[in-house]
Amino acid sequence: MDEEIIANDKKNIERKYVFVVVGSLILVGVIILSLTVFNPKREIKDIKYFSYGTTDGMAMYDGLHFSIDYKDGKYIATIQENGVSEEDAKKVEISKDKVKKLEDILNKYNVGSWDGFKKYDKDVLDGSSFNLSLGCFDDTSVSASGYMKWPENYREVRGELESFFKSL
């Protein structure tokens, strides 16, 4: 009788072990699937327009806005830094090579996967927000925004965008 109980206990332990191993493998598979299928790499190339802005408070012109527009065969960048009105924003013509450098930054951090990101923390009344939109000549587009909520790699992207536009 005792041997029978011990044998049953061993079988139950083996079943639990198999259950844990199989469950762990399924979990790993779901994680890999979610990272590759639900957050695929979306390459950004041949930008037609780009717009990125932030707000960091409630004061007038409290934030920044950068944009690039393709018009009449030229790329025009607009740099509106914190405290600068829209009328006083810097406008400069840039080369296709500069636009390619921007595309490289965006692709480095898979910003294409941000499309559809729209998250807000409704409990914060005086926080920071961002808005990004871009369109490419092949009709690919990305639109993302947030208020006190940020997509993956946001801090790095913001830093590189600020450095890029301020260098123009």
Side-chain angles (χ1 to χ4, degrees), residues 14-149:
E14 289 172 0
R15 285 185 192 132
K16 288 178 184 176
Y17 176 76
V18 168
F19 179 76
V20 168
V21 169
V22 170
S24 298
L25 290 173
I26 290 171
L27 180 61
V28 168
V30 168
I31 290 170
I32 290 171
L33 185 65
S34 69
L35 291 174
T36 57
V37 172
F38 300 114
N39 193 14
K41 183 87 169 161
R42 289 186 58 198
E43 185 178 9
I44 295 168
K45 61 182 177 179
D46 299 323
I47 288 177
K48 182 173 24 175
Y49 68 87
F50 175 85
S51 176
Y52 169 77
T54 67
T55 59
D56 293 312
M58 294 179 63
M60 192 169 198
Y61 310 124
D62 196 10
L64 51 85
H65 183 255
F66 304 130
S67 65
I68 294 176
D69 290 295
Y70 184 79
K71 191 173 183 179
D72 299 326
K74 301 177 197 174
Y75 285 101
I76 305 297
T78 303
I79 300 99
Q80 181 183 354
E81 295 194 50
N82 194 10
V84 175
S85 71
E86 191 174 335
E87 298 82 32
D88 294 330
K90 177 181 169 184
K91 293 187 184 276
V92 61
E93 184 177 338
I94 61 172
S95 68
K96 174 66 177 157
D97 289 339
K98 289 285 188 184
V99 175
K100 175 70 173 111
K101 185 175 179 184
L102 173 63
E103 292 168 356
D104 290 343
I105 292 168
L106 299 173
N107 287 321
K108 175 180 175 183
Y109 296 105
N110 195 18
V111 171
S113 71
W114 292 8
D115 190 35
F117 184 93
K118 192 173 187 176
K119 296 186 179 182
Y120 303 94
D121 185 340
K122 295 176 175 97
D123 295 326
V124 179
L125 298 177
D126 187 16
S128 298
S129 66
F130 86 97
N131 190 339
L132 180 141
S133 64
L134 67 88
C136 301
F137 284 102
D138 68 358
D139 292 328
T140 299
S141 64
V142 176
S143 179
S145 62
Y147 177 74
M148 299 305 292
K149 299 280 185 176

